[in-house]
């Protein structure tokens, strides 16, 4: 779509919001939420999101691409070994 990568990341994160709000409602209605884990993950996600947004502005795009590629390879390998 020829959008700069920083704007694309921000846009994709924002697009997830309606899905999360909607699905959370149905999981809540079905009593399918572990509140302790959810709250801890929410706090971690908020802190990580803040730090990530700050780093996004300061790190060169090439470094971000390399870090994301390494992260994807790591997660892929972990999934294969389970």
């Amino acid at each position: 779509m020829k959008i700069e990568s920083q704007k694309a990341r921000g846009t994709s994160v924002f697009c997830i919001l309606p899905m999360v709000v909607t699905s959370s409602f149905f999981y809540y209605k079905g009593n399918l939420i572990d509140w302790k884990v959810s709250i801890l993950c929410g706090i971690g996600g908020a802190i990580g999101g803040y730090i990530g947004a700050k780093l996004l502005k300061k790190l060169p795009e090439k470094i971000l691409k390399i870090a994301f590629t390494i992260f994807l390879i790591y997660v892929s390998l972990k999934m294969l070994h389970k």
Side-chain angles (χ1 to χ4, degrees), residues 17-35:
L17 182 63
M19 178 196 62
V20 170
V21 170
T22 303
S23 61
S24 294
F25 172 76
F26 289 104
Y27 285 123
Y28 171 75
K29 293 295 262 180
N31 197 27
L32 298 169
I33 297 175
D34 181 329
W35 288 102

Side-chain angles (χ1 to χ4, degrees), residues 2-21:
K2 297 181 182 178
I3 299 174
E4 63 184 68
S5 64
Q6 287 182 333
K7 188 171 266 191
R9 285 185 198 98
T11 301
S12 68
V13 168
F14 188 78
C15 288
I16 295 168
L17 182 63
M19 178 196 62
V20 170
V21 170

